[in-house]
Amino acid sequence: MPILRKFMSVVAGIFAGGLVVAAVEAAGHAVLNGEWLFAAAAAGYGLAAAAGSFVAGRLGDRLCSVIVTGVLAVLAAINLFAFPHPPWFTPIAVVLLVLGWRIGSRMAGPGRSAAAGGR
């Protein structure tokens, strides 16, 4: 698989994940407050990992979906240090990120590779 295709699949996956986080957090701010807003943000991280992994895995390969989830995890960690979060938020967000990656990469289909006939 050409490196440009892999790179663009990662970019597309990060973009898709970012859109999902933005949509979930915008909806959360519109209707929720307090601890429920943090719960929506954690769910948004999981949904973003699922969407980003799906897009990257579909356009690229399984490694691309792992890279997208890693980038989203780094961005989530930066957010964690930006302002205080409840103590339960970090472990829940990590679990949902991993679960989202697992679901998204499975939905994308089997991992593609040159040996398996991938393009």
Side-chain angles (χ1 to χ4, degrees):
M1 177 177 297
I3 191 76
L4 182 62
R5 181 178 173 125
K6 287 184 178 187
F7 177 77
M8 293 308 293
S9 71
V10 169
V11 170
I14 293 169
F15 185 74
L19 286 177
V20 169
V21 165
V24 169
E25 289 194 3
H29 281 285
V31 297
L32 300 171
N33 59 18
E35 298 272 324
W36 288 106
L37 188 56
F38 286 106
Y45 290 169
L47 292 172
S53 294
F54 174 76
V55 169
R58 199 73 168 146
L59 298 176
D61 57 15
R62 192 160 299 226
L63 176 62
C64 295
S65 69
V66 171
I67 292 170
V68 167
T69 304
V71 169
L72 292 174
V74 168
L75 294 173
I78 291 169
N79 184 24
L80 287 173
F81 291 110
F83 61 93
H85 290 74
W88 55 264
F89 183 82
T90 302
I92 296 296
V94 168
V95 168
L96 290 176
L97 273 166
V98 171
L99 187 62
W101 163 73
R102 193 78 172 129
I103 291 170
S105 63
R106 288 235 171 164
M107 287 174 48
R112 297 186 183 122
S113 68
R119 297 178 192 210

